[in-house]
Amino acid sequence: MERAIKLFANGQMLLSDIDTAGNGRNNKTPLHINPSTGKESSVPLAFSDTNWGVQTRAYITSISRLPDSVVYRNAELAHNLAMKRRGTRMEVDDQTEDERALIF
């Protein structure tokens, strides 16, 4: 969220740049002049560890201090929003070995 707000606040993204009618796949990281190369690139504005790793890990520190009930409620709200956006229920594979599914 912080990243999105900064993109708008710094004029690097406009509301007209966002495809609200589709599923979001047409939304791309805006191009910006890469100071290293002098060429247009999405790298300076990308949501990457280089650009946002420190801030993201700081949020994780704060989140880890929250009671489980708050984390579960936020996950439920995010899931409901995703279902509303996609229009279908997300299928969950309880048997997956993907590391992202093994966090808890």
Side-chain angles (χ1 to χ4, degrees):
M1 183 65 92
E2 178 182 349
R3 174 180 173 259
I5 291 169
K6 284 190 177 190
L7 286 173
F8 285 107
N10 295 337
Q12 295 162 326
M13 186 171 234
L14 304 172
L15 285 177
S16 59
D17 295 335
I18 300 172
D19 174 20
T20 58
N23 58 11
R25 290 190 182 134
N26 292 329
N27 293 323
K28 306 289 183 210
T29 301
L31 296 177
H32 190 67
I33 299 297
N34 186 328
S36 302
T37 64
K39 297 179 180 177
E40 273 195 331
S41 170
S42 63
V43 173
L45 302 179
F47 185 67
S48 64
D49 188 63
T50 302
N51 293 341
W52 288 95
V54 171
Q55 296 91 332
T56 301
R57 284 184 284 283
Y59 281 120
I60 295 298
T61 300
S62 292
I63 291 167
S64 68
R65 293 182 184 135
L66 294 171
D68 288 347
S69 61
V70 173
V71 176
Y72 288 127
R73 179 66 181 139
N74 285 338
E76 180 183 23
L77 291 169
H79 185 246
N80 290 341
L81 180 62
M83 283 179 37
K84 182 187 251 185
R85 176 85 174 152
R86 290 183 62 198
T88 60
R89 182 158 178 76
M90 295 187 318
E91 295 299 321
V92 176
D93 180 5
D94 291 334
Q95 304 303 315
T96 185
E97 293 298 318
D98 185 299
E99 64 185 22
R100 290 171 290 275
L102 302 173
I103 293 172
F104 288 100

